Amino acid sequence: MHPILRRLTGSDRRSIGDADQVAQVIASDADLFGIVFEGMVSGEPVLRMRAADAVEKATRQNPGLLLPYKQRLLDEVAAVEQQEVRWHVAQMVPRLPLNGAERNRAVAILEDFLRNESKIVQVNAMQALADLLGDDEALRQRVILILEQVTEAGGPAVKARGRKLLGKLGKEQNA
């Protein structure tokens, strides 16, 4: 195992370990970024979680790092069912330049994430859907409908985020 990945291993999923420090290192090193990206599909849940955290934080600073991994993020990493990976995937998806087909794929992934039992995954997926809109009016209407449905049916955190997002989209929701 590469030393950068060893820094992300452990036994406690309640701790992020060295994820913040690793994120700082990989934000400016594409080779190490690629190694940590691979950690998101590891067989070890703690490593997957911490790798996803580090990759997401690094791409806040340098979203271009995701470009070579766009298809793997949308296909392979998004298929990981672990909630901590999913909530970070939802945060990263809007950082990708997406063509029409890729945007539709991303929306489908995020819609699936809305069915996750984790409220953090749901709220991050809602935010990502709103962030993906751009100037696509058809997608805007679709996302508003999705957000209205999720907001109506969701728990307190989901309702609060939904009202906020719908308000920003110019569509008030009474929930």
Side-chain angles (χ1 to χ4, degrees), residues 84-157:
E84 298 93 346
V85 174
R86 287 190 165 198
W87 80 55
H88 289 302
V89 168
Q91 292 172 308
M92 289 185 276
V93 165
R95 297 178 189 153
L96 295 169
L98 301 171
N99 64 32
E102 292 166 339
R103 184 173 281 114
N104 287 335
R105 172 84 176 110
V107 169
I109 289 165
L110 295 167
E111 282 185 277
D112 180 54
F113 285 11
L114 291 172
R115 291 184 282 282
N116 192 281
E117 67 182 53
S118 165
K119 301 306 179 208
I120 298 171
V121 173
Q122 292 174 23
V123 167
N124 284 343
M126 293 168 72
Q127 183 66 56
L129 283 166
D131 291 346
L132 277 177
L133 295 182
D135 60 358
D136 185 332
E137 187 57 32
L139 181 58
R140 182 178 182 280
Q141 293 307 314
R142 179 177 170 198
V143 167
I144 286 173
L145 180 62
I146 292 166
L147 292 177
E148 286 174 337
Q149 292 168 345
V150 172
T151 300
E152 187 175 316

Side-chain angles (χ1 to χ4, degrees), residues 16-27:
I16 63 169
D18 283 346
D20 287 342
Q21 295 81 10
V22 168
Q24 288 298 315
V25 170
I26 66 173

Side-chain angles (χ1 to χ4, degrees), residues 52-71:
D53 187 30
V55 166
E56 186 275 318
K57 288 174 178 169
T59 61
R60 284 183 208 167
Q61 296 175 45
N62 187 355
L65 288 167
L66 280 174
L67 285 175
Y69 303 95
K70 176 168 57 172
Q71 292 310 314

